[in-house]
Amino acid sequence: MAISGDAQLAKLLEAANVDKDVSAVIDLIDGVLAAAQGSTREDWIDLICQSPDDALRAELLALRDERKTLFKMAKDDFDAAHRLDALRTYLAAKGVDGFIVPRADEHQGENVPARAERLAWLTGFTGSAGAAVVLRNKAAVFVDGRYTIQVRQQVNRDLFEYRHLVEEPVVGWLHDHLKSGEKLAYDPWLHTVQQATHLRSACEAVGAELIAIDTNPIDAIWHAQPHLPLGPVRPHPMEYAGKSSFEKRTQIAEILSRISCDSAILSAPDSIAWLLNIRGADVPQTPLALGYAIINGDASVELFMDERKIAPETLKWLSGEATLRAPGELGDALKAMGNQAVRLDEATAADWLRMKLSDAGATVRVGRDPVAIPKACKNEVELEGSRKAHKRDGEKIIRYFKWLDETAANGDIDERAAADMLLSMRAEDPLFRDSSFETIPGSGPNGALCHYRNTPETNRNLTPGEIFLIDSGAQYLDGTTDITRTTVIGNPTQEHRDRFTRVLKGHIALARAIFPVGTTGQQLDTLARMPLWEAGLDFDHGTGHGVGSYLGVHEGPQRISKAPNTVALKPGMILSNEPGFYKEGEYGIRIENLIAVTEIDAPIGADRKMLGFETLTFSPIDRKLIDPELMTRDELQWLNDYHAQVYAMYADDLDDDHREWLQNATAPIKKKSD
């Protein structure tokens, strides 16, 4: 008689001396499937057994595939009206009149696990920022300017009113539609302290009440909701981190002393990853392990994280660095902090944390995460890792654009194929782990959407005479990359060249900037916009965002933007330099390199220390789109010097065909009068 699947697995587990039963293994696999790449990678197996034989490995992979199929079958068909009715029924049973559904997880991350995609489940909207408010007889979905087209494609307007997240915010809509005496529910895990304060004020202004609810209503009615993710947690070795956890913990403890705090709650997973030199796999495209940590004034750390996802090597790595506690123990730990002054991060700390600390009698001090600035200022090992990662990444970009030049001219390549080819080239690198974000391959009018997302419905061919913008990046063990290049399929128009050259001039102005210590990114932002402003043009996104070291491709608190920002740029910070121009319905242009803030020799006679930027990204800028007559000689000198560096960096490592292509792509450009 054949042994059943569970019995066979149990037998193999026992033979391998695994101290988990079949049900525990199934639970772990369900968590793995809820994590980033859990359905394709196999590096989770050592969470069950470090040295499985072939039979056990095969059985575990078969079980993984079986569970994946079951989850796929269990997914509900999308019926927004039915889901909206179910939510309203649940809310009525709980005695509340409405509920706020943010696109957020408990850590306010940009990338969230599948379990936290509650807004998408309810409305169908899959963008990276947004919210919905559901009242008894009205509902609205809120998105920012990046998604005004997408929301109309994905969300039923008969069910949800469309609103602009910034220009027509949630609090304004609540003021117009909430009635006195009504109760609006919110999940305190999914809103920061500041967000909850604004919502509370909006409710009180109309005589309504904001109610914190224990169980998220979406979780209660989402029957096929994915599990909590259990992506494997790995050490981030010193050869990449450059600084031990002990050194980092000591540094943060000194900061706590300076700001008169006894401890800090670390709610941002990237802060925990940096502090303890660990990386995870819980969310897409960013190597994060979701959890919480408390760092105390004596530099000790309590880590609240599911032990099932922590690999055996990582348990040893953390020994002596942090005390590992179950996630469910966080509430009790907060209750024990009643006599302390505790820092909560203004950007990521859930209002639930404030509530628990306040109930315990702690002094809650909301402000910047004490890890944020030290993490942003990369040490020399991290900077060198970034240089190496960018060098390898640049070689892939060169190969990619040679391929594109040779294959796209006939119009047979579509956006999806173009993006997939670049990903396949990057994946050849042994240090490659993932993309750093979903590639943006904008052809023609799709490029005019600065955060365009390719779908089967929007996918289009790269067409001769049109501009193609591709924004992409990679997560390598030694660094995170992000690069945008704009090219033209065939020949450009004079308008294409004019707009591209103005964007390039702004890019060069920022790359060449010299500025005194204490300067913020907001003060530099104008440099990148001036050439466009001179023609009555502009772009509606920031000029630069911070970038992590094998962490988030979007990392604060530094940025270069029109938006107010008081964070001074400091040596070691990595940012993007990405001015652009977008003509709705026709094309988009963006040129992006990553740059690192660096100390420079001050000019003769200077009376203060000066900073500048080191360019990290080296890849050709499309010469066909450049009008040299619009550029100054200094700008052309910068461009020619940059292209000379690109050629020198790669020429010796390329075959003859690629070297010839690169030589042409980086040839000097001159004005007609020279």
Side-chain angles (χ1 to χ4, degrees):
M1 180 178 179
I3 301 176
S4 70
D6 285 0
Q8 173 70 4
L9 178 58
K11 181 179 178 182
L12 292 170
L13 292 171
E14 181 180 7
N17 295 315
V18 174
D19 61 353
K20 294 179 175 66
D21 60 22
V22 172
S23 62
V25 169
I26 291 175
D27 284 344
L28 192 149
I29 288 177
D30 289 349
V32 166
L33 287 169
Q37 298 184 326
S39 63
T40 57
R41 292 173 62 167
E42 300 180 8
D43 58 352
W44 51 270
I45 291 178
D46 68 348
L47 299 178
I48 298 170
C49 180
Q50 285 188 272
S51 302
D53 59 23
D54 291 344
L56 178 56
R57 174 179 287 275
E59 191 72 18
L60 291 172
L61 291 175
L63 179 58
R64 188 269 309 271
D65 293 342
E66 177 185 325
R67 300 298 295 177
K68 181 169 61 175
T69 300
L70 289 174
F71 290 148
K72 187 175 181 180
M73 293 172 60
K75 285 184 178 178
D76 300 330
D77 291 333
F78 182 71
D79 184 338
H82 175 76
R83 294 179 182 185
L84 192 58
D85 287 344
L87 176 58
R88 285 176 167 144
T89 299
Y90 182 90
L91 295 175
K94 293 297 180 180
V96 295
D97 302 288
F99 182 62
I100 305 169
V101 186
R103 198 274 182 180
D105 68 356
E106 294 81 352
H107 309 275
Q108 298 296 316
E110 179 181 12
N111 292 320
V112 302
R115 179 181 180 83
E117 293 284 9
R118 299 177 179 91
L119 181 63
W121 181 85
L122 178 67
T123 69
F125 173 66
T126 60
S128 64
V133 181
V134 176
L135 301 180
R136 289 182 183 273
N137 299 309
K138 296 180 184 295
V141 60
F142 301 77
V143 302
D144 64 29
R146 296 172 295 175
Y147 298 115
T148 53
I149 296 175
Q150 182 176 327
V151 72
R152 284 166 170 76
Q153 295 171 337
Q154 295 182 320
V155 179
N156 187 338
R157 65 183 304 167
D158 294 331
L159 301 176
F160 293 91
E161 175 186 345
Y162 305 137
R163 301 279 291 193
H164 193 289
L165 190 61
V166 178
E167 298 171 3
E168 304 168 303
V170 170
V171 292
W173 193 85
L174 292 174
H175 183 274
D176 294 340
H177 296 288
L178 266 183
K179 297 180 175 63
S180 178
E182 289 188 327
K183 296 179 179 180
L184 178 70
Y186 80 110
D187 184 341
W189 277 108
L190 304 183
H191 298 265
T192 66
V193 176
Q194 185 180 59
Q195 289 168 349
T197 299
H198 290 162
L199 291 171
R200 193 171 293 109
S201 297
C203 291
E204 292 172 353
V206 296
E209 185 180 2
L210 185 68
I211 303 292
I213 199 164
D214 292 333
T215 300
N216 189 297
I218 300 294
D219 297 353
I221 62 175
W222 185 358
H223 302 303
Q225 186 178 27
H227 289 65
L228 289 167
L230 295 174
V233 183
R234 306 288 182 190
H236 190 54
M238 282 289 289
E239 66 181 294
Y240 305 127
K243 198 172 184 180
S244 71
S245 175
F246 175 78
E247 292 175 282
K248 294 178 178 180
R249 289 186 287 108
T250 301
Q251 182 181 7
I252 303 307
E254 292 171 352
I255 293 174
L256 290 176
S257 177
R258 290 201 300 270
I259 62 176
S260 301
C261 286
D262 299 298
S263 57
I265 311 297
L266 301 184
S267 47
D270 58 331
S271 290
I272 298 170
W274 178 87
L275 184 70
L276 298 176
N277 288 337
I278 56 175
R279 298 295 188 267
D282 281 339
V283 301
Q285 298 163 334
T286 308
L288 300 179
L290 300 184
Y292 290 87
I294 299 173
I295 180 166
N296 302 301
D298 62 359
S300 64
V301 170
E302 296 174 86
L303 176 62
F304 298 85
M305 190 172 286
D306 195 323
E307 187 173 347
R308 291 178 298 170
K309 66 184 178 184
I310 301 180
E313 59 179 319
T314 314
L315 287 173
K316 295 178 183 177
W317 179 264
L318 291 171
S319 178
E321 306 289 355
T323 300
L324 184 62
R325 300 181 64 177
E329 296 178 24
L330 179 60
D332 290 338
L334 299 181
K335 289 180 183 178
M337 301 173 75
N339 62 345
Q340 295 188 28
V342 184
R343 171 57 63 97
L344 288 182
D345 179 28
E346 59 193 0
T348 64
D351 196 44
W352 184 91
L353 300 172
R354 176 201 60 80
M355 293 166 56
K356 293 298 180 184
L357 288 168
S358 296
D359 290 346
T363 301
V364 179
R365 293 180 176 162
V366 179
R368 183 181 300 138
D369 180 344
V371 171
I373 293 293
K375 171 168 59 67
C377 298
K378 311 299 183 288
N379 60 55
E380 189 50 46
V381 170
E382 291 174 315
L383 288 171
E384 184 58 24
S386 184
R387 294 181 190 109
K388 291 177 178 178
H390 278 89
K391 185 176 187 296
R392 299 193 310 276
D393 200 62
E395 185 265 337
K396 309 298 184 188
I397 298 294
I398 289 166
R399 288 175 48 202
Y400 174 77
F401 275 103
K402 179 180 181 296
W403 168 82
L404 195 69
D405 274 356
E406 294 172 348
T407 57
N410 58 12
D412 292 337
I413 301 297
D414 63 25
E415 294 170 336
R416 184 72 267 151
D420 289 345
M421 175 59 74
L422 183 52
L423 176 61
S424 68
M425 289 180 173
R426 283 185 166 131
E428 297 169 0
D429 190 313
L431 298 187
F432 175 84
R433 290 298 178 267
D434 201 351
S435 297
S436 56
F437 57 96
E438 186 172 346
T439 297
I440 300 171
S443 171
N446 287 342
L449 306 173
C450 62
H451 282 230
Y452 165 67
R453 182 174 182 178
N454 175 267
T455 67
E457 294 74 27
T458 64
N459 191 35
R460 67 191 304 275
N461 283 12
L462 279 57
T463 304
E466 290 188 343
I467 282 179
F468 175 56
L469 179 157
I470 183 161
D471 186 351
S472 67
Q475 293 285 9
Y476 300 103
L477 286 176
D478 53 351
T480 299
T481 69
D482 181 2
I483 176 175
T484 307
R485 286 295 183 265
T486 304
T487 189
V488 62
I489 309 302
N491 297 314
T493 67
Q494 183 52 39
E495 180 182 307
H496 291 159
R497 298 176 75 227
D498 178 275
R499 302 305 191 253
F500 183 90
T501 305
R502 292 181 185 279
V503 172
L504 176 58
K505 285 165 68 72
H507 179 97
I508 293 171
L510 186 58
R512 297 176 62 204
I514 297 173
F515 48 94
V517 170
T519 300
T520 68
Q522 183 186 9
Q523 293 170 300
L524 297 180
D525 182 74
T526 302
L527 296 175
R529 298 179 187 271
M530 188 61 70
L532 288 163
W533 286 355
E534 289 172 346
L537 309 170
D538 201 0
F539 55 95
D540 294 327
H541 57 75
T543 300
H545 55 81
V547 178
S549 180
Y550 186 44
L551 276 175
V553 73
H554 293 150
E555 175 183 85
Q558 75 278 19
R559 65 175 183 263
I560 302 171
S561 173
K562 290 180 183 179
N565 187 303
T566 60
V567 177
L569 300 181
K570 297 178 180 293
M573 287 181 170
I574 296 177
L575 302 105
S576 64
N577 173 5
E578 51 177 315
F581 175 75
Y582 310 90
K583 187 172 183 179
E584 185 176 355
E586 293 195 29
Y587 61 85
I589 294 167
R590 190 160 62 250
I591 304 170
E592 178 186 18
N593 287 344
L594 295 193
I595 52 179
V597 182
T598 185
E599 295 179 356
I600 65 169
D601 293 332
I604 296 174
D607 62 0
R608 60 195 64 195
K609 292 183 179 179
M610 303 296 288
L611 302 174
F613 292 118
E614 172 193 354
T615 295
L616 300 173
T617 308
F618 288 93
S619 174
I621 295 169
D622 193 348
R623 296 170 74 256
K624 289 187 295 183
L625 282 163
I626 298 171
D627 182 352
E629 304 309 309
L630 288 175
M631 300 179 70
T632 67
R633 284 178 173 78
D634 284 346
E635 290 167 344
L636 281 173
Q637 187 64 55
W638 183 93
L639 178 65
N640 289 333
D641 288 347
Y642 175 77
H643 274 158
Q645 286 180 275
V646 173
Y647 183 79
M649 185 175 289
Y650 297 108
D652 291 343
D653 298 326
L654 298 174
D655 59 36
D656 291 343
D657 287 345
H658 284 87
R659 189 183 305 109
E660 181 180 358
W661 181 91
L662 181 61
Q663 186 173 29
N664 292 329
T666 59
I669 297 177
K670 295 181 180 180
K671 286 177 171 288
K672 291 179 181 177
S673 57
D674 289 346

